[in-house]
Amino acid sequence: MKHTYHQNLKCKIQVSTSYGDFQLNNNIQLINNKILSGERLSKEDGINLFKINDIYALGNLANNVKKKKTGDYVFFNVNLHINLTNVCVSRCKFCAFSRDKNDKDAYSMTADEAVRRAIDSLPLGITEVHIVSGLHPDLPFEYYVDIISRLKEKMPKIHIQAFTAVEIDYFSQISGRSIKDVLIILKNAGLGSMPGGGAEIFNSKVREKVCPKKASGEKWLEVMETAHTLGLRSNATLLYGHLESDEEIIDHLISLRNLQDKTDGFQAFIPLPFHPKNTEFENTHKRPGAFENLKMYMIARLMLDNFDHIKSFWIMVGLDIAQLSLNFGVDDLDGTVVEEKITHSAGAETEQYISKQELISLIRETGHTPVERDTLYNVIKIYKE
Ligand code: V47
């Protein structure tokens, strides 16, 4: 029989699609069975999850896990982000925020300025100040301790979540103290918990290419383990959409999962999509799209079975995807934020502030119950209809 071009093509597509569908449905079924029986997903399962493009099926799995953990609650917090300085000796290739100290637009806040900024945000009802900064070549460790003590003195009820594991490692180097001592001094000054930044991607080959001067993945994990042992809880992140492979992402998640088994000190995982504008990757990369972002949330939820919270940082994915993510495994929205410089230096077009009321409406529209939390996930208020 003579086939037309279209008949041939249709035939080929049908054959290959039905085989592909069979394989993928099989993968979803296997993964679903594992989840239902409480079996942990393997590295191979994780890599297979990336191949599944049926986001309804994947979303269903992730959402079921989310519901088991937090029911129909979706958490949010009212916070202020502060970046004390953009001067950084690390100059990571994915970062558009950092500057050398003599650059015209380099800045460093005084302790007074940082405290003033926090006090000015009190009328917004903030319960948390979140501080992440560059690795400044000249500011001494005492500068950071002083800021924490003064913030705590002026606002004793506000939780201070500050300094990535990379910053803590740097403080250890500039002060000549051990990581443990640095953390004890900061904790005594009023540090409440640590953000999850600086994790990027743990794989050393990729890390060497995207942030060669930064503390290693092993060091990041070591600092977090020490912090958790001292009773400081923290978050964890992943920067994706640059040079990393699916396998390297899964390895990153498994490293976090292993440490969580040991310490139970992580509160939330936040996947961060790379924004390439004004970075070395501006001409070679584009920002991950909606599909990739949702998939990342779902995969994180399914792989990180020992993390209670998967958080969407709406600043990086946009409010639309942040809202949609609530039906794809995410249970937490960060936050009111107020000021954000890192992603906005790299071309983010989102606002920098959203009101508490807007966050509540956004969550309600998805059929979830908004729950205002403090930094340690104590419930402040449940917003029932
Ligand atoms: O570590 C830097 C990332 C992080 C870019 O713990 C970039 O609750 C995208 O960690 N495109 C800092 N991302 C922010 C961060 C964070 C944010 C919100 C909540 C929490 C939390 C932590 O931002 C850095 C790096 O991974 N980053 N440059 C960029 N061009």
PDB file of all heavy atoms in Angstrom, residues 81 94-96 130 132 161 164 194-200 214 235-239 270 272-277 279 311 313 316 334 342-343 346, ligand 1:
ATOM      1  N   HIS A  81      13.037  41.805  53.509  1.00  0.00           N
ATOM      2  CA  HIS A  81      14.373  41.346  53.087  1.00  0.00           C
ATOM      3  C   HIS A  81      15.337  42.535  53.122  1.00  0.00           C
ATOM      4  O   HIS A  81      14.990  43.625  52.665  1.00  0.00           O
ATOM      5  CB  HIS A  81      14.329  40.799  51.655  1.00  0.00           C
ATOM      6  CG  HIS A  81      13.827  39.389  51.560  1.00  0.00           C
ATOM      7  ND1 HIS A  81      14.454  38.417  50.825  1.00  0.00           N
ATOM      8  CD2 HIS A  81      12.759  38.773  52.111  1.00  0.00           C
ATOM      9  CE1 HIS A  81      13.805  37.270  50.920  1.00  0.00           C
ATOM     10  NE2 HIS A  81      12.756  37.465  51.690  1.00  0.00           N
ATOM     11  N   PHE A  94      26.669  33.776  37.960  1.00  0.00           N
ATOM     12  CA  PHE A  94      25.211  33.880  37.777  1.00  0.00           C
ATOM     13  C   PHE A  94      24.633  35.097  38.506  1.00  0.00           C
ATOM     14  O   PHE A  94      23.434  35.308  38.487  1.00  0.00           O
ATOM     15  CB  PHE A  94      24.509  32.611  38.293  1.00  0.00           C
ATOM     16  CG  PHE A  94      24.849  32.274  39.721  1.00  0.00           C
ATOM     17  CD1 PHE A  94      24.351  33.019  40.763  1.00  0.00           C
ATOM     18  CD2 PHE A  94      25.700  31.213  40.006  1.00  0.00           C
ATOM     19  CE1 PHE A  94      24.686  32.722  42.077  1.00  0.00           C
ATOM     20  CE2 PHE A  94      26.041  30.903  41.312  1.00  0.00           C
ATOM     21  CZ  PHE A  94      25.531  31.678  42.350  1.00  0.00           C
ATOM     22  N   CYS A  95      25.478  35.874  39.137  1.00  0.00           N
ATOM     23  CA  CYS A  95      24.970  36.928  40.024  1.00  0.00           C
ATOM     24  C   CYS A  95      25.112  38.295  39.370  1.00  0.00           C
ATOM     25  O   CYS A  95      26.201  38.683  38.941  1.00  0.00           O
ATOM     26  CB  CYS A  95      25.741  36.896  41.341  1.00  0.00           C
ATOM     27  SG  CYS A  95      25.170  38.130  42.509  1.00  0.00           S
ATOM     28  N   ALA A  96      23.996  39.028  39.308  1.00  0.00           N
ATOM     29  CA  ALA A  96      24.022  40.371  38.732  1.00  0.00           C
ATOM     30  C   ALA A  96      24.022  41.434  39.830  1.00  0.00           C
ATOM     31  O   ALA A  96      24.087  42.623  39.555  1.00  0.00           O
ATOM     32  CB  ALA A  96      22.799  40.560  37.829  1.00  0.00           C
ATOM     33  N   HIS A 130      14.825  39.242  57.089  1.00  0.00           N
ATOM     34  CA  HIS A 130      15.598  38.220  56.369  1.00  0.00           C
ATOM     35  C   HIS A 130      16.816  38.927  55.759  1.00  0.00           C
ATOM     36  O   HIS A 130      16.663  39.834  54.940  1.00  0.00           O
ATOM     37  CB  HIS A 130      14.666  37.648  55.281  1.00  0.00           C
ATOM     38  CG  HIS A 130      15.293  36.641  54.376  1.00  0.00           C
ATOM     39  ND1 HIS A 130      14.892  35.329  54.331  1.00  0.00           N
ATOM     40  CD2 HIS A 130      16.277  36.751  53.448  1.00  0.00           C
ATOM     41  CE1 HIS A 130      15.595  34.675  53.434  1.00  0.00           C
ATOM     42  NE2 HIS A 130      16.442  35.518  52.881  1.00  0.00           N
ATOM     43  N   VAL A 132      20.485  38.742  53.759  1.00  0.00           N
ATOM     44  CA  VAL A 132      21.480  38.031  52.940  1.00  0.00           C
ATOM     45  C   VAL A 132      22.335  39.097  52.267  1.00  0.00           C
ATOM     46  O   VAL A 132      21.802  40.092  51.776  1.00  0.00           O
ATOM     47  CB  VAL A 132      20.787  37.175  51.847  1.00  0.00           C
ATOM     48  CG1 VAL A 132      21.822  36.563  50.918  1.00  0.00           C
ATOM     49  CG2 VAL A 132      19.956  36.074  52.472  1.00  0.00           C
ATOM     50  N   GLN A 161      16.214  36.099  60.550  1.00  0.00           N
ATOM     51  CA  GLN A 161      16.717  34.987  59.747  1.00  0.00           C
ATOM     52  C   GLN A 161      17.831  35.563  58.880  1.00  0.00           C
ATOM     53  O   GLN A 161      17.566  36.391  58.000  1.00  0.00           O
ATOM     54  CB  GLN A 161      15.599  34.415  58.875  1.00  0.00           C
ATOM     55  CG  GLN A 161      16.078  33.272  58.003  1.00  0.00           C
ATOM     56  CD  GLN A 161      14.942  32.479  57.376  1.00  0.00           C
ATOM     57  OE1 GLN A 161      14.377  32.913  56.385  1.00  0.00           O
ATOM     58  NE2 GLN A 161      14.612  31.331  57.941  1.00  0.00           N
ATOM     59  N   THR A 164      23.605  33.256  54.920  1.00  0.00           N
ATOM     60  CA  THR A 164      23.645  31.938  54.287  1.00  0.00           C
ATOM     61  C   THR A 164      24.830  31.149  54.861  1.00  0.00           C
ATOM     62  O   THR A 164      25.747  31.737  55.461  1.00  0.00           O
ATOM     63  CB  THR A 164      23.854  32.063  52.764  1.00  0.00           C
ATOM     64  OG1 THR A 164      25.150  32.649  52.538  1.00  0.00           O
ATOM     65  CG2 THR A 164      22.782  32.909  52.116  1.00  0.00           C
ATOM     66  N   MET A 194      18.519  30.451  59.873  1.00  0.00           N
ATOM     67  CA  MET A 194      19.299  30.815  58.680  1.00  0.00           C
ATOM     68  C   MET A 194      18.528  30.588  57.383  1.00  0.00           C
ATOM     69  O   MET A 194      17.797  29.604  57.249  1.00  0.00           O
ATOM     70  CB  MET A 194      20.579  29.971  58.636  1.00  0.00           C
ATOM     71  CG  MET A 194      21.598  30.379  59.679  1.00  0.00           C
ATOM     72  SD  MET A 194      22.860  29.128  59.830  1.00  0.00           S
ATOM     73  CE  MET A 194      23.548  29.115  58.186  1.00  0.00           C
ATOM     74  N   PRO A 195      18.712  31.487  56.418  1.00  0.00           N
ATOM     75  CA  PRO A 195      18.094  31.275  55.108  1.00  0.00           C
ATOM     76  C   PRO A 195      18.818  30.170  54.343  1.00  0.00           C
ATOM     77  O   PRO A 195      19.882  29.712  54.761  1.00  0.00           O
ATOM     78  CB  PRO A 195      18.264  32.630  54.411  1.00  0.00           C
ATOM     79  CG  PRO A 195      19.439  33.259  55.076  1.00  0.00           C
ATOM     80  CD  PRO A 195      19.521  32.704  56.477  1.00  0.00           C
ATOM     81  N   GLY A 196      18.244  29.786  53.213  1.00  0.00           N
ATOM     82  CA  GLY A 196      18.797  28.630  52.495  1.00  0.00           C
ATOM     83  C   GLY A 196      19.696  28.965  51.329  1.00  0.00           C
ATOM     84  O   GLY A 196      20.106  28.081  50.583  1.00  0.00           O
ATOM     85  N   GLY A 197      20.014  30.253  51.163  1.00  0.00           N
ATOM     86  CA  GLY A 197      20.793  30.675  49.990  1.00  0.00           C
ATOM     87  C   GLY A 197      22.211  30.137  49.977  1.00  0.00           C
ATOM     88  O   GLY A 197      22.695  29.568  50.964  1.00  0.00           O
ATOM     89  N   GLY A 198      22.869  30.323  48.837  1.00  0.00           N
ATOM     90  CA  GLY A 198      24.268  29.921  48.694  1.00  0.00           C
ATOM     91  C   GLY A 198      24.441  28.457  48.331  1.00  0.00           C
ATOM     92  O   GLY A 198      25.545  28.016  48.032  1.00  0.00           O
ATOM     93  N   ALA A 199      23.355  27.687  48.330  1.00  0.00           N
ATOM     94  CA  ALA A 199      23.474  26.258  48.015  1.00  0.00           C
ATOM     95  C   ALA A 199      23.758  26.075  46.519  1.00  0.00           C
ATOM     96  O   ALA A 199      24.505  25.178  46.124  1.00  0.00           O
ATOM     97  CB  ALA A 199      22.200  25.520  48.405  1.00  0.00           C
ATOM     98  N   GLU A 200      23.142  26.913  45.703  1.00  0.00           N
ATOM     99  CA  GLU A 200      23.291  26.886  44.232  1.00  0.00           C
ATOM    100  C   GLU A 200      23.106  25.464  43.728  1.00  0.00           C
ATOM    101  O   GLU A 200      22.029  24.938  43.745  1.00  0.00           O
ATOM    102  CB  GLU A 200      24.646  27.481  43.805  1.00  0.00           C
ATOM    103  CG  GLU A 200      25.155  28.679  44.633  1.00  0.00           C
ATOM    104  CD  GLU A 200      24.173  29.827  44.824  1.00  0.00           C
ATOM    105  OE1 GLU A 200      23.059  29.762  44.313  1.00  0.00           O
ATOM    106  OE2 GLU A 200      24.501  30.797  45.538  1.00  0.00           O
ATOM    107  N   LYS A 214      33.237  30.399  45.387  1.00  0.00           N
ATOM    108  CA  LYS A 214      32.300  30.201  46.500  1.00  0.00           C
ATOM    109  C   LYS A 214      32.656  28.952  47.310  1.00  0.00           C
ATOM    110  O   LYS A 214      33.257  28.023  46.783  1.00  0.00           O
ATOM    111  CB  LYS A 214      30.895  30.037  45.895  1.00  0.00           C
ATOM    112  CG  LYS A 214      29.792  30.240  46.861  1.00  0.00           C
ATOM    113  CD  LYS A 214      28.479  30.448  46.129  1.00  0.00           C
ATOM    114  CE  LYS A 214      27.667  31.501  46.837  1.00  0.00           C
ATOM    115  NZ  LYS A 214      26.682  32.124  45.985  1.00  0.00           N
ATOM    116  N   ASN A 235      16.685  26.998  56.097  1.00  0.00           N
ATOM    117  CA  ASN A 235      16.051  26.583  54.843  1.00  0.00           C
ATOM    118  C   ASN A 235      17.119  26.031  53.904  1.00  0.00           C
ATOM    119  O   ASN A 235      18.308  26.056  54.229  1.00  0.00           O
ATOM    120  CB  ASN A 235      15.355  27.776  54.193  1.00  0.00           C
ATOM    121  CG  ASN A 235      14.189  28.241  55.026  1.00  0.00           C
ATOM    122  OD1 ASN A 235      13.597  27.458  55.771  1.00  0.00           O
ATOM    123  ND2 ASN A 235      13.863  29.528  54.928  1.00  0.00           N
ATOM    124  N   ALA A 236      16.679  25.569  52.752  1.00  0.00           N
ATOM    125  CA  ALA A 236      17.617  25.077  51.742  1.00  0.00           C
ATOM    126  C   ALA A 236      17.118  25.523  50.369  1.00  0.00           C
ATOM    127  O   ALA A 236      15.904  25.644  50.163  1.00  0.00           O
ATOM    128  CB  ALA A 236      17.697  23.556  51.800  1.00  0.00           C
ATOM    129  N   THR A 237      18.054  25.782  49.468  1.00  0.00           N
ATOM    130  CA  THR A 237      17.671  26.217  48.120  1.00  0.00           C
ATOM    131  C   THR A 237      18.422  25.407  47.064  1.00  0.00           C
ATOM    132  O   THR A 237      19.341  24.638  47.377  1.00  0.00           O
ATOM    133  CB  THR A 237      18.014  27.711  47.893  1.00  0.00           C
ATOM    134  OG1 THR A 237      19.419  27.890  48.099  1.00  0.00           O
ATOM    135  CG2 THR A 237      17.221  28.613  48.812  1.00  0.00           C
ATOM    136  N   LEU A 238      18.020  25.656  45.837  1.00  0.00           N
ATOM    137  CA  LEU A 238      18.714  25.116  44.662  1.00  0.00           C
ATOM    138  C   LEU A 238      18.584  26.198  43.599  1.00  0.00           C
ATOM    139  O   LEU A 238      17.490  26.751  43.417  1.00  0.00           O
ATOM    140  CB  LEU A 238      17.988  23.856  44.168  1.00  0.00           C
ATOM    141  CG  LEU A 238      18.176  23.487  42.698  1.00  0.00           C
ATOM    142  CD1 LEU A 238      19.495  22.748  42.504  1.00  0.00           C
ATOM    143  CD2 LEU A 238      17.031  22.593  42.204  1.00  0.00           C
ATOM    144  N   LEU A 239      19.669  26.545  42.936  1.00  0.00           N
ATOM    145  CA  LEU A 239      19.587  27.458  41.802  1.00  0.00           C
ATOM    146  C   LEU A 239      19.587  26.605  40.537  1.00  0.00           C
ATOM    147  O   LEU A 239      20.549  25.867  40.295  1.00  0.00           O
ATOM    148  CB  LEU A 239      20.788  28.415  41.811  1.00  0.00           C
ATOM    149  CG  LEU A 239      20.795  29.462  40.701  1.00  0.00           C
ATOM    150  CD1 LEU A 239      19.704  30.505  40.930  1.00  0.00           C
ATOM    151  CD2 LEU A 239      22.154  30.152  40.609  1.00  0.00           C
ATOM    152  N   ILE A 270      13.371  25.794  48.865  1.00  0.00           N
ATOM    153  CA  ILE A 270      12.914  26.820  47.909  1.00  0.00           C
ATOM    154  C   ILE A 270      13.726  26.689  46.623  1.00  0.00           C
ATOM    155  O   ILE A 270      14.922  27.036  46.598  1.00  0.00           O
ATOM    156  CB  ILE A 270      13.126  28.250  48.470  1.00  0.00           C
ATOM    157  CG1 ILE A 270      12.607  28.342  49.895  1.00  0.00           C
ATOM    158  CG2 ILE A 270      12.459  29.309  47.600  1.00  0.00           C
ATOM    159  CD1 ILE A 270      13.673  28.547  50.930  1.00  0.00           C
ATOM    160  N   LEU A 272      15.087  27.980  43.214  1.00  0.00           N
ATOM    161  CA  LEU A 272      15.253  29.346  42.691  1.00  0.00           C
ATOM    162  C   LEU A 272      15.606  29.290  41.199  1.00  0.00           C
ATOM    163  O   LEU A 272      16.690  28.801  40.835  1.00  0.00           O
ATOM    164  CB  LEU A 272      16.372  30.072  43.457  1.00  0.00           C
ATOM    165  CG  LEU A 272      16.250  30.132  44.991  1.00  0.00           C
ATOM    166  CD1 LEU A 272      17.499  30.745  45.614  1.00  0.00           C
ATOM    167  CD2 LEU A 272      15.009  30.912  45.411  1.00  0.00           C
ATOM    168  N   PRO A 273      14.713  29.777  40.319  1.00  0.00           N
ATOM    169  CA  PRO A 273      15.012  29.751  38.876  1.00  0.00           C
ATOM    170  C   PRO A 273      16.005  30.850  38.502  1.00  0.00           C
ATOM    171  O   PRO A 273      15.846  32.010  38.884  1.00  0.00           O
ATOM    172  CB  PRO A 273      13.639  30.007  38.236  1.00  0.00           C
ATOM    173  CG  PRO A 273      12.839  30.719  39.274  1.00  0.00           C
ATOM    174  CD  PRO A 273      13.379  30.320  40.617  1.00  0.00           C
ATOM    175  N   PHE A 274      17.004  30.477  37.749  1.00  0.00           N
ATOM    176  CA  PHE A 274      18.069  31.412  37.353  1.00  0.00           C
ATOM    177  C   PHE A 274      17.533  32.517  36.435  1.00  0.00           C
ATOM    178  O   PHE A 274      16.858  32.254  35.435  1.00  0.00           O
ATOM    179  CB  PHE A 274      19.169  30.613  36.639  1.00  0.00           C
ATOM    180  CG  PHE A 274      20.253  31.465  36.061  1.00  0.00           C
ATOM    181  CD1 PHE A 274      20.863  32.465  36.816  1.00  0.00           C
ATOM    182  CD2 PHE A 274      20.680  31.276  34.750  1.00  0.00           C
ATOM    183  CE1 PHE A 274      21.861  33.260  36.277  1.00  0.00           C
ATOM    184  CE2 PHE A 274      21.687  32.058  34.202  1.00  0.00           C
ATOM    185  CZ  PHE A 274      22.271  33.051  34.970  1.00  0.00           C
ATOM    186  N   HIS A 275      17.877  33.750  36.772  1.00  0.00           N
ATOM    187  CA  HIS A 275      17.575  34.921  35.926  1.00  0.00           C
ATOM    188  C   HIS A 275      18.888  35.376  35.286  1.00  0.00           C
ATOM    189  O   HIS A 275      19.784  35.836  36.005  1.00  0.00           O
ATOM    190  CB  HIS A 275      17.007  36.051  36.783  1.00  0.00           C
ATOM    191  CG  HIS A 275      15.593  35.835  37.228  1.00  0.00           C
ATOM    192  ND1 HIS A 275      15.177  34.684  37.853  1.00  0.00           N
ATOM    193  CD2 HIS A 275      14.498  36.633  37.119  1.00  0.00           C
ATOM    194  CE1 HIS A 275      13.879  34.786  38.114  1.00  0.00           C
ATOM    195  NE2 HIS A 275      13.442  35.946  37.689  1.00  0.00           N
ATOM    196  N   PRO A 276      19.015  35.250  33.968  1.00  0.00           N
ATOM    197  CA  PRO A 276      20.338  35.483  33.359  1.00  0.00           C
ATOM    198  C   PRO A 276      20.693  36.937  33.026  1.00  0.00           C
ATOM    199  O   PRO A 276      21.863  37.225  32.764  1.00  0.00           O
ATOM    200  CB  PRO A 276      20.264  34.663  32.068  1.00  0.00           C
ATOM    201  CG  PRO A 276      18.829  34.504  31.775  1.00  0.00           C
ATOM    202  CD  PRO A 276      18.061  34.665  33.043  1.00  0.00           C
ATOM    203  N   LYS A 277      19.719  37.856  33.054  1.00  0.00           N
ATOM    204  CA  LYS A 277      20.018  39.223  32.586  1.00  0.00           C
ATOM    205  C   LYS A 277      21.144  39.858  33.420  1.00  0.00           C
ATOM    206  O   LYS A 277      21.178  39.695  34.633  1.00  0.00           O
ATOM    207  CB  LYS A 277      18.751  40.079  32.680  1.00  0.00           C
ATOM    208  CG  LYS A 277      18.821  41.293  31.812  1.00  0.00           C
ATOM    209  CD  LYS A 277      17.486  41.945  31.633  1.00  0.00           C
ATOM    210  CE  LYS A 277      17.667  43.240  30.861  1.00  0.00           C
ATOM    211  NZ  LYS A 277      16.579  44.146  31.080  1.00  0.00           N
ATOM    212  N   THR A 279      24.119  39.009  33.603  1.00  0.00           N
ATOM    213  CA  THR A 279      25.114  38.052  34.104  1.00  0.00           C
ATOM    214  C   THR A 279      25.918  37.527  32.906  1.00  0.00           C
ATOM    215  O   THR A 279      25.581  37.819  31.751  1.00  0.00           O
ATOM    216  CB  THR A 279      24.469  36.826  34.802  1.00  0.00           C
ATOM    217  OG1 THR A 279      23.950  35.948  33.800  1.00  0.00           O
ATOM    218  CG2 THR A 279      23.369  37.228  35.761  1.00  0.00           C
ATOM    219  N   LYS A 311       8.554  25.840  49.434  1.00  0.00           N
ATOM    220  CA  LYS A 311       8.159  27.258  49.412  1.00  0.00           C
ATOM    221  C   LYS A 311       8.367  27.857  48.026  1.00  0.00           C
ATOM    222  O   LYS A 311       9.362  27.583  47.364  1.00  0.00           O
ATOM    223  CB  LYS A 311       9.006  27.997  50.452  1.00  0.00           C
ATOM    224  CG  LYS A 311       8.723  29.478  50.553  1.00  0.00           C
ATOM    225  CD  LYS A 311       9.190  30.033  51.887  1.00  0.00           C
ATOM    226  CE  LYS A 311      10.639  30.441  51.898  1.00  0.00           C
ATOM    227  NZ  LYS A 311      10.999  31.186  53.131  1.00  0.00           N
ATOM    228  N   PHE A 313       9.112  31.293  46.165  1.00  0.00           N
ATOM    229  CA  PHE A 313       9.552  32.690  46.309  1.00  0.00           C
ATOM    230  C   PHE A 313       8.983  33.418  45.096  1.00  0.00           C
ATOM    231  O   PHE A 313       9.567  33.371  44.015  1.00  0.00           O
ATOM    232  CB  PHE A 313      11.084  32.727  46.345  1.00  0.00           C
ATOM    233  CG  PHE A 313      11.669  34.062  46.698  1.00  0.00           C
ATOM    234  CD1 PHE A 313      11.113  34.854  47.699  1.00  0.00           C
ATOM    235  CD2 PHE A 313      12.786  34.535  46.045  1.00  0.00           C
ATOM    236  CE1 PHE A 313      11.668  36.090  48.032  1.00  0.00           C
ATOM    237  CE2 PHE A 313      13.355  35.762  46.365  1.00  0.00           C
ATOM    238  CZ  PHE A 313      12.791  36.535  47.356  1.00  0.00           C
ATOM    239  N   MET A 316      10.726  35.407  42.313  1.00  0.00           N
ATOM    240  CA  MET A 316      11.495  34.792  41.223  1.00  0.00           C
ATOM    241  C   MET A 316      10.638  34.097  40.172  1.00  0.00           C
ATOM    242  O   MET A 316      11.061  33.981  39.027  1.00  0.00           O
ATOM    243  CB  MET A 316      12.521  33.808  41.786  1.00  0.00           C
ATOM    244  CG  MET A 316      13.645  34.483  42.529  1.00  0.00           C
ATOM    245  SD  MET A 316      15.106  33.452  42.616  1.00  0.00           S
ATOM    246  CE  MET A 316      16.110  34.365  43.786  1.00  0.00           C
ATOM    247  N   ASP A 334       6.507  32.922  50.174  1.00  0.00           N
ATOM    248  CA  ASP A 334       7.374  33.933  50.774  1.00  0.00           C
ATOM    249  C   ASP A 334       7.222  35.190  49.946  1.00  0.00           C
ATOM    250  O   ASP A 334       7.574  35.209  48.763  1.00  0.00           O
ATOM    251  CB  ASP A 334       8.819  33.440  50.706  1.00  0.00           C
ATOM    252  CG  ASP A 334       9.802  34.340  51.436  1.00  0.00           C
ATOM    253  OD1 ASP A 334       9.436  35.463  51.801  1.00  0.00           O
ATOM    254  OD2 ASP A 334      10.945  33.911  51.631  1.00  0.00           O
ATOM    255  N   ILE A 342      18.512  41.067  44.618  1.00  0.00           N
ATOM    256  CA  ILE A 342      19.316  40.055  43.923  1.00  0.00           C
ATOM    257  C   ILE A 342      18.694  39.685  42.565  1.00  0.00           C
ATOM    258  O   ILE A 342      19.350  39.744  41.527  1.00  0.00           O
ATOM    259  CB  ILE A 342      19.491  38.800  44.820  1.00  0.00           C
ATOM    260  CG1 ILE A 342      20.274  39.190  46.079  1.00  0.00           C
ATOM    261  CG2 ILE A 342      20.195  37.669  44.070  1.00  0.00           C
ATOM    262  CD1 ILE A 342      20.401  38.107  47.133  1.00  0.00           C
ATOM    263  N   THR A 343      17.408  39.344  42.572  1.00  0.00           N
ATOM    264  CA  THR A 343      16.766  38.943  41.318  1.00  0.00           C
ATOM    265  C   THR A 343      16.421  40.159  40.459  1.00  0.00           C
ATOM    266  O   THR A 343      16.414  40.066  39.231  1.00  0.00           O
ATOM    267  CB  THR A 343      15.473  38.154  41.589  1.00  0.00           C
ATOM    268  OG1 THR A 343      15.537  37.547  42.858  1.00  0.00           O
ATOM    269  CG2 THR A 343      15.237  37.132  40.514  1.00  0.00           C
ATOM    270  N   ALA A 346      18.972  41.108  38.187  1.00  0.00           N
ATOM    271  CA  ALA A 346      19.100  40.146  37.087  1.00  0.00           C
ATOM    272  C   ALA A 346      17.838  40.110  36.218  1.00  0.00           C
ATOM    273  O   ALA A 346      17.560  39.110  35.563  1.00  0.00           O
ATOM    274  CB  ALA A 346      19.399  38.763  37.655  1.00  0.00           C
TER     275      ALA A 346
HETATM  276  O1  V47 B   1      22.039  32.212  46.989  1.00  0.00           O
HETATM  277  C1  V47 B   1      21.693  34.836  42.803  1.00  0.00           C
HETATM  278  C2  V47 B   1      20.225  33.219  44.109  1.00  0.00           C
HETATM  279  C3  V47 B   1      20.025  33.383  46.357  1.00  0.00           C
HETATM  280  C4  V47 B   1      20.564  34.918  40.980  1.00  0.00           C
HETATM  281  O2  V47 B   1      15.787  30.806  52.664  1.00  0.00           O
HETATM  282  C5  V47 B   1      19.863  34.117  41.873  1.00  0.00           C
HETATM  283  O3  V47 B   1      13.735  31.457  52.772  1.00  0.00           O
HETATM  284  C6  V47 B   1      18.207  33.775  40.337  1.00  0.00           C
HETATM  285  O4  V47 B   1      18.575  32.306  48.890  1.00  0.00           O
HETATM  286  N1  V47 B   1      18.848  34.499  39.411  1.00  0.00           N
HETATM  287  C7  V47 B   1      19.666  34.359  47.475  1.00  0.00           C
HETATM  288  N2  V47 B   1      18.694  33.554  41.574  1.00  0.00           N
HETATM  289  C8  V47 B   1      18.168  34.331  47.766  1.00  0.00           C
HETATM  290  C9  V47 B   1      17.790  33.182  48.633  1.00  0.00           C
HETATM  291  C10 V47 B   1      16.446  33.094  49.234  1.00  0.00           C
HETATM  292  C11 V47 B   1      15.387  33.781  48.689  1.00  0.00           C
HETATM  293  C12 V47 B   1      14.138  33.684  49.295  1.00  0.00           C
HETATM  294  C13 V47 B   1      13.946  32.931  50.429  1.00  0.00           C
HETATM  295  C14 V47 B   1      15.019  32.247  50.966  1.00  0.00           C
HETATM  296  C15 V47 B   1      14.848  31.447  52.215  1.00  0.00           C
HETATM  297  C16 V47 B   1      16.286  32.319  50.367  1.00  0.00           C
HETATM  298  O5  V47 B   1      19.596  33.935  45.131  1.00  0.00           O
HETATM  299  C17 V47 B   1      21.477  33.116  46.104  1.00  0.00           C
HETATM  300  C18 V47 B   1      21.424  32.527  44.724  1.00  0.00           C
HETATM  301  O6  V47 B   1      21.144  31.164  44.774  1.00  0.00           O
HETATM  302  N3  V47 B   1      20.593  34.067  42.977  1.00  0.00           N
HETATM  303  N4  V47 B   1      21.679  35.357  41.570  1.00  0.00           N
HETATM  304  C19 V47 B   1      20.012  35.092  39.685  1.00  0.00           C
HETATM  305  N5  V47 B   1      20.658  35.801  38.754  1.00  0.00           N
END
